[in-house]
Amino acid sequence: MTRLILVLGDQLTPTLSALEQATQGDIIVMAEVADETTYVPHHPKKIAFVLTAMRKFAAQLRNDGLTVVYTKLDDPENTRSITGELLRRAAEYGTSTVIATEPGEWRLIAALNDLPLDTTVLPDTRFIASHAEFEAWAKDRKELRMEWFYRDMRRKTGLLMDGDKPVGGQWNFDHDNRKAAPKDIHYFGPMQFDPDPEVMALVAQRFDQNFGDLEPMWFATDKEQVLRHFERWLQDALPLFGDFQDAMLNENRFLYHSVIGLYINAGLLDPLAVCRAAEAEYQAGRAPINAVEGFIRQIIGWREYMRGIYFLQGPEYTSRNVLGHTRDLPAFFWGADTSMNCVAKTVEQTKTDAYAHHIQRLMITGNFALLAGIDPGKVHEWYLAVYADAYEWVEAPNVIGMSQYADGGIVGSKPYVSSGAYISRMSDYCKSCAYKVKDKTGKNACPFNLLYWDFLIRHRDRFSGNARMGNMYRTWDRMKPDHQKTVLQDASRFLARMDAGDAV
Ligand code: DLZ
Ligand code: SF4
């Protein structure tokens, strides 16, 4: 009996659980559909990446002898949704049996479950921890801290383990990974590849209103290209990745970052294999422990933990808003002018490359959104749209949880907020900014300085009892009342100007 085997745009892995079921006579269904290309206004580079990688992957499956029915976005028969395509193919091939691998988004999981077909949804085995393992880990714990989960993943995979002890005598070398940005970076950034002209024309024609530059399109789009990029990064950048992981520079967008999140999340790169490759660099004495441990923690720790939280918390997680933030996303998130150089640079880079590194996302745009009280649902949609690596399972816990504290502290034990001082220490942004990072009040005061206190005072009831935040409130309480009043007035004025649409 013919069965339909669904492969989604972020499931481009030959060993995908659904594909492992495929036998002669089965039909692999892949579809470029409007529902997926428009559920948020994705960055054009992200769409071009997914569609090109899907087309190449379909060709590879055909090459391997499988039968693939592939719907292009401009196919006149296109039903515009994944479920529509499955129903159409089911009728075409006279079958009602569908095998899928669990999608990374509740929306699509629900759609598959509602299909009037005989659908089997298999676990996504490309992750190290299954849902059951994460649930067992989370059960009866008061706090779901990543660090404890990460140690379990180290033990499970044996990565950087010396028997039952961590290699180097410590689980985490993060304190070595906070060096300020150096003047020179000895790495030229990610390897660049030629785009597919047909996909480029399609995306240019359909998505020219979306935020983001389609050209120049440089992402790798098949496994062979991705491996070439990754292997060069291992040699040229991994040794210094740890040291400058949190640094930011006006003139260098990538520093030593690997820019492989988009490839891993689409299925083109195996998370465990990249960790083993990095571990081998440490073992060969070519990369230091702080770089290798920091890299591995992002993948088997943070990435897996984010997925665990997304599936544990359920579909309502993306609507959480414990701080009651309701402000609209300012126009400068979509490229309008702002005098805040750090924000302008991060957004500009996001527009150019559908990429910004984690500290830019957390401490610049995320920090600003949280301090300014922007609706976390809108912040979530922005991140889901503009980053090429963003799928809901990974983006939502990072944004709703880690960055916006909208989940009330499930992911983070305190909100990730900082004044301009942190940004100044970790970047050269402030040197060329119209605002003065040293100014605490007045028209030139760095908005992060004003909004930092405004945020803390607005939410004093919630946070003053938090042991890790007591210091901040004590600092505030030591300030002169006149100064406190001016800070809060200046913050309100800034927010009022921003709400009125002034270029702030
Ligand atoms: C992100 C994306 C885009 C832009 N387009 C497609 C598509 O046309 N067809 C498809 O199968 N998948 C696409 N994707 C990826 C899906 O949105 C992704 O599988 C779900 O969000 C679940 O993670
Ligand atoms: Fe950003 Fe403030 Fe520094 Fe300007 S002064 S770059 S707004 S942190």
Side-chain angles (χ1 to χ4, degrees):
M1 187 196 50
T2 304
R3 302 176 306 174
L4 302 180
I5 299 197
L6 175 67
V7 176
L8 294 166
D10 56 353
Q11 297 183 334
L12 309 180
T13 316
T15 53
L16 189 76
S17 53
L19 278 172
E20 291 211 307
Q21 302 290 314
T23 53
Q24 282 296 322
D26 287 338
I27 308 278
I28 318 293
V29 177
M30 293 182 71
E32 301 171 3
V33 290
D35 272 11
E36 297 311 307
T37 55
T38 61
Y39 59 80
V40 284
H42 298 288
H43 193 298
K45 267 197 175 72
K46 177 183 186 183
I47 302 176
F49 165 66
V50 173
L51 302 193
T52 310
M54 283 178 71
R55 289 181 184 196
K56 286 189 174 182
F57 187 72
Q60 181 196 328
L61 293 180
R62 284 192 183 120
N63 228 0
D64 295 343
L66 294 163
T67 306
V68 183
V69 289
Y70 191 99
T71 312
K72 289 187 175 176
L73 200 58
D74 52 4
D75 186 332
E77 312 275 291
N78 195 321
T79 57
R80 304 173 63 87
S81 70
I82 295 294
T83 45
E85 285 306 284
L86 285 170
L87 288 167
R88 180 161 80 91
R89 298 304 188 185
E92 193 177 332
Y93 291 94
T95 180
S96 60
T97 308
V98 175
I99 299 177
T101 292
E102 184 181 71
E105 200 180 332
W106 289 112
R107 170 186 62 86
L108 262 184
I109 294 174
L112 288 184
N113 287 337
D114 289 348
L115 262 183
L117 295 172
D118 174 13
T119 309
T120 306
V121 177
L122 300 170
D124 192 339
T125 51
R126 298 174 299 170
F127 290 88
I128 294 153
S130 66
H131 294 333
E133 270 177 288
F134 194 84
E135 282 158 21
W137 174 79
K139 195 167 171 286
D140 301 331
R141 266 174 209 268
K142 263 224 220 92
E143 292 195 322
L144 303 181
R145 294 289 159 249
M146 192 283 289
E147 184 63 29
W148 305 111
F149 172 75
Y150 165 56
R151 292 180 189 186
D152 280 1
M153 293 299 101
R154 288 271 294 276
R155 292 187 191 98
K156 178 172 179 183
T157 58
L159 280 161
L160 294 180
M161 294 300 291
D162 191 355
D164 59 356
K165 300 258 176 340
V167 164
Q170 270 165 240
W171 292 100
N172 183 319
F173 290 80
D174 229 10
H175 55 83
D176 296 338
N177 288 357
R178 293 182 186 137
K179 292 203 176 65
K183 277 216 168 61
D184 301 316
I185 298 283
H186 302 282
Y187 173 60
F188 295 107
M191 205 181 259
Q192 312 219 338
F193 298 89
D194 288 336
D196 175 321
E198 190 184 302
V199 172
M200 291 296 280
L202 180 72
V203 175
Q205 184 219 337
R206 293 211 173 201
F207 303 102
D208 66 330
Q209 298 302 310
N210 290 18
F211 168 80
D213 302 340
L214 176 60
E215 307 263 11
M217 172 68 189
W218 53 267
F219 293 145
T221 46
D222 62 48
K223 181 153 190 164
E224 182 266 326
Q225 293 180 343
V226 167
L227 283 175
R228 272 165 59 205
H229 156 66
F230 176 67
E231 274 153 22
R232 200 196 58 166
W233 174 82
L234 267 184
Q235 278 177 17
D236 294 355
L238 173 64
L240 286 168
F241 162 72
D243 286 1
F244 303 112
Q245 207 181 315
D246 290 358
M248 299 170 279
L249 280 173
N250 273 312
E251 298 303 330
N252 193 308
R253 286 172 287 170
F254 300 107
L255 291 99
Y256 294 101
H257 288 276
S258 64
V259 195
I260 57 169
L262 80 164
Y263 304 136
I264 300 186
N265 294 350
L268 295 175
L269 199 53
D270 176 24
L272 207 49
V274 297
C275 291
R276 300 233 183 274
E279 182 187 41
E281 293 302 292
Y282 168 72
Q283 285 163 344
R286 288 190 293 264
I289 187 73
N290 67 309
V292 173
E293 188 279 321
F295 175 77
I296 287 177
R297 176 157 28 88
Q298 292 306 321
I299 296 173
I300 67 167
W302 193 250
R303 181 174 185 271
E304 293 281 330
Y305 168 78
M306 287 287 95
R307 178 173 185 263
I309 295 284
Y310 180 75
F311 282 101
L312 192 68
Q313 293 298 317
E316 305 311 318
Y317 188 73
T318 53
S319 343
R320 300 211 59 186
N321 185 3
V322 297
L323 299 179
H325 285 172
T326 54
R327 188 163 259 115
D328 243 342
L329 206 60
F332 54 73
F333 273 80
W334 302 109
D337 282 349
T338 169
S339 302
M340 293 180 282
N341 186 46
C342 54
V343 175
K345 279 284 168 354
T346 303
V347 172
E348 180 189 298
Q349 156 171 356
T350 302
K351 180 167 176 283
T352 316
D353 289 314
Y355 174 79
H357 73 67
H358 73 121
I359 285 295
Q360 293 170 305
R361 297 189 204 193
L362 184 65
M363 298 315 291
I364 308 287
T365 40
N367 185 20
F368 183 85
L370 177 57
L371 293 178
I374 296 169
D375 177 347
K378 296 201 167 124
V379 183
H380 149 64
E381 282 182 9
W382 184 79
Y383 278 88
L384 188 57
V386 302
Y387 291 115
D389 45 68
Y391 301 91
E392 197 173 273
W393 66 267
V394 63
E395 174 279 328
N398 267 302
V399 173
I400 296 287
M402 174 76 172
S403 165
Q404 299 301 296
Y405 199 83
D407 66 359
I410 295 168
V411 168
S413 53
K414 69 175 184 61
Y416 262 79
V417 285
S418 84
S419 66
Y422 173 84
I423 298 170
S424 174
R425 191 164 63 247
M426 297 313 297
S427 77
D428 64 358
Y429 289 147
C430 301
K431 289 184 189 138
S432 43
C433 184
Y435 293 107
K436 300 279 162 274
V437 73
K438 292 239 157 25
D439 287 8
K440 312 287 185 225
T441 55
K443 72 176 177 21
N444 291 328
C446 165
F448 285 83
N449 293 345
L450 302 172
L451 297 179
Y452 177 72
W453 292 118
D454 189 66
F455 171 86
L456 288 177
I457 298 314
R458 262 188 290 136
H459 295 295
R460 184 162 195 153
D461 285 353
R462 179 180 290 272
F463 295 128
S464 60
N466 183 320
R468 298 179 62 199
M469 297 175 76
N471 260 342
M472 303 171 187
Y473 286 100
R474 282 190 287 278
T475 304
W476 173 259
D477 291 339
R478 281 195 300 270
M479 291 178 194
K480 294 213 168 70
D482 272 2
H483 180 71
Q484 291 175 336
K485 203 168 140 202
T486 315
V487 169
L488 297 182
Q489 270 173 356
D490 286 355
S492 298
R493 255 185 233 126
F494 174 86
L495 290 172
R497 284 177 49 227
M498 187 176 88
D499 290 344
D502 291 0
V504 289

